[in-house]
Amino acid sequence: MANWQTATILDRKVWNDGLFSLTFDIELEPFKAGQFIKVGLQVGDERIERPYSLVNSEDQPYAEILFNEIEGGPLTSRLAQLDKGEQLLATTDAHGFLVLDEVPDIPHLWMIATGTGIGPFISMLNSAQSQRFERIVIIHGATHEKSLAYRSQLEGLEHIDQRITYLPVISREKTDGQMEGRITDNLSSGEVEKRANLELNAEKSHVLLCGNIDMIRDVQALLAERDMKKHKRFEPGHISMA
Ligand SMILES: Cc1cc2nc3c(=O)[nH]c(=O)nc-3n(C[C@H](O)[C@H](O)[C@H](O)COP(=O)(O)OP(=O)(O)OC[C@H]3O[C@@H](n4cnc5c(N)ncnc54)[C@H](O)[C@@H]3O)c2cc1C
């Protein structure tokens, strides 16, 4: 049974039109980076509730979520209106299997996200568990550069930690030097590996996928050509997804 608490919003960040982060004070039970909680609002007799990945890491004393406002979306259209000091409902228990514990013992971790899918990866990057990888490549697909949530944090990590490579891919505008178009096209062409200076292969790599369902399907198909398959606890593979 989920344990709901009323939480006060401590911070609200607007990254781009319709793209927000909310930080709120809640006593989270111990969780693993990559897991999600439920967030809700009481509307009349009904509690509208939806799952959201935690962006904060395990040791931070608050919860942070990243979300898109969906036009007419029952919860996000309301969440988007909330400001600092206002309240929402959230569960204190987090769930989900997209966690670093489940990743086999390999040297190279590839995190591939679109949109708000970057959220759980921020949590993982700030967790002690991420130290076990020799290299971590983060590929973040967004429509516009302004929609690269947590960009400065990721660039900062890349700057101080030589193991980390951060590669944005922008689909709907020209950029000054970023990869453009679809993540899959940049993977197929070899551009991603060239920029990461690292080979993406079944021998040394594990891939985490989070975000748009089409991206997840297409990347999986592409990786299948490299003999990389979905990871299951009792049938180890190379790809895990939210
Ligand atoms: C395990 C899990 C974790 C999730 N984590 C996040 C998260 O970290 N951040 C986040 O923004 N969302 C996340 N979601 C989706 C989230 O739970 C909501 O569905 C979403 O925020 C929309 O809520 P809503 O009530 O406004 O609209 P809903 O009634 O939930 O959805 C309205 C319509 O919008 C579609 N939709 C839902 N999400 C999106 C999206 N991001 N882009 C385009 N269309 C969408 C739905 O398929 C539906 O057709 C997660 C979902 C799951 C299952």
Side-chain angles (χ1 to χ4, degrees):
M1 184 86 168
N3 180 17
W4 287 88
Q5 271 186 11
T6 300
T8 302
I9 296 172
L10 304 171
D11 197 21
R12 172 187 192 260
K13 183 159 177 63
V14 185
W15 300 97
N16 198 3
D17 285 349
L19 181 63
F20 303 86
S21 289
L22 288 179
T23 305
F24 42 93
D25 68 341
I26 185 167
E27 290 154 33
L28 288 172
E29 292 163 38
F31 72 97
K32 293 175 183 168
Q35 292 189 311
F36 61 87
I37 57 168
K38 280 189 180 172
V39 173
L41 286 173
Q42 193 70 34
V43 179
D45 292 342
E46 190 195 355
R47 180 174 63 210
I48 305 175
E49 53 183 70
R50 301 280 186 269
Y52 291 92
S53 300
L54 289 167
V55 179
N56 52 295
S57 56
E58 292 116 330
D59 53 354
Q60 289 173 315
Y62 52 77
E64 181 171 348
I65 60 167
L66 169 68
F67 70 96
N68 274 319
E69 180 180 4
I70 307 292
E71 215 183 308
L75 187 62
T76 53
S77 58
R78 291 177 169 89
L79 281 183
Q81 307 302 319
L82 296 180
D83 215 337
K84 253 188 195 176
E86 293 192 273
Q87 292 188 322
L88 49 72
L89 302 168
T91 57
T92 58
D93 50 322
H95 300 275
F97 296 106
L98 189 74
V99 294
L100 294 177
D101 272 1
E102 300 285 333
V103 174
D105 193 16
I106 46 85
H108 303 156
L109 184 66
W110 296 71
M111 298 174 163
I112 306 183
T114 54
T116 56
I118 196 70
F121 296 155
I122 301 291
S123 181
M124 289 179 193
L125 286 163
N126 288 315
S127 78
Q129 276 247 41
S130 66
Q131 294 300 322
R132 75 172 156 107
F133 303 100
E134 281 172 26
R135 289 286 311 274
I136 302 178
V137 181
I138 306 132
I139 301 159
H140 188 194
T143 53
H144 301 85
E145 284 199 79
K146 273 190 181 169
S147 300
L148 290 171
Y150 302 97
R151 178 183 190 167
S152 59
Q153 192 174 325
L154 289 163
E155 286 175 344
L157 274 177
E158 184 181 41
H159 188 67
I160 57 167
D161 188 340
Q162 290 190 339
R163 300 173 310 130
I164 292 179
T165 304
Y166 168 56
L167 297 172
V169 182
I170 303 300
S171 62
R172 290 203 203 144
E173 68 180 359
K174 287 270 159 222
T175 67
D176 190 12
Q178 307 295 357
M179 283 185 279
E180 291 171 10
R182 283 153 39 100
I183 289 176
T184 38
D185 292 337
N186 284 283
L187 278 170
S188 306
S189 69
E191 185 63 21
V192 167
E193 285 158 291
K194 190 171 135 203
R195 291 192 184 217
N197 193 22
L198 191 70
E199 197 184 320
L200 173 56
N201 58 30
E203 194 198 347
K204 290 193 167 179
S205 317
H206 194 89
V207 179
L208 304 178
L209 298 173
C210 192
N212 179 281
I213 192 115
D214 294 334
M215 179 280 284
I216 291 178
R217 187 200 54 221
D218 294 349
V219 171
Q220 250 189 295
L222 218 137
L223 295 178
E225 294 168 13
R226 301 178 188 215
D227 294 326
M228 298 176 80
K229 60 175 188 181
K230 192 171 169 179
H231 176 71
K232 296 179 189 151
R233 205 174 265 183
F234 300 108
E235 201 185 315
H238 320 87
I239 309 166
S240 306
M241 59 206 79

